[in-house]
Amino acid sequence: MTLEVLYFAWLRERVGHPRESVATDAATVRDLVAQLAAQSDGHAAALDDLATLRCAVDQKLVDLDTPLAGAREVAFFPPMTGG
């Protein structure tokens, strides 16, 4: 499958671009993170601390063990604060 992967805030800065299309066989978001982290040093730096990583699949907040079957978009961003 091909996913549109979006990066926000400091993740975007470390990866070096805001979005990319990724061909993957990843079963879960966690599998996708491992695949992306292996792509480049920037990806590895952005995705190295899973505790500071939030994600959404098709614009719905999910955890890292969420299946990707049928997904079209995955977004990664840092934790958010309210105010």
Side-chain angles (χ1 to χ4, degrees):
M1 85 179 105
T2 300
L3 294 171
E4 190 70 14
V5 179
L6 310 174
Y7 304 99
F8 293 92
W10 54 261
L11 290 128
R12 178 185 61 236
E13 293 170 10
R14 291 179 184 172
V15 169
H17 47 267
R19 67 185 325 133
E20 62 186 321
S21 291
V22 175
T24 185
D25 292 325
T28 66
V29 175
R30 188 179 304 274
D31 297 338
L32 178 63
V33 168
Q35 176 185 338
L36 293 169
Q39 275 187 204
S40 74
D41 290 343
H43 285 84
L47 302 170
D48 71 341
D49 186 358
L50 298 181
T52 63
L53 188 64
R54 299 296 178 263
C55 53
V57 173
D58 293 333
Q59 301 183 6
K60 180 181 176 190
L61 292 174
V62 298
D63 64 40
L64 292 170
D65 295 315
T66 299
L68 290 174
R72 295 187 304 179
E73 178 185 275
V74 178
F76 294 105
F77 45 91
M80 298 173 281
T81 60

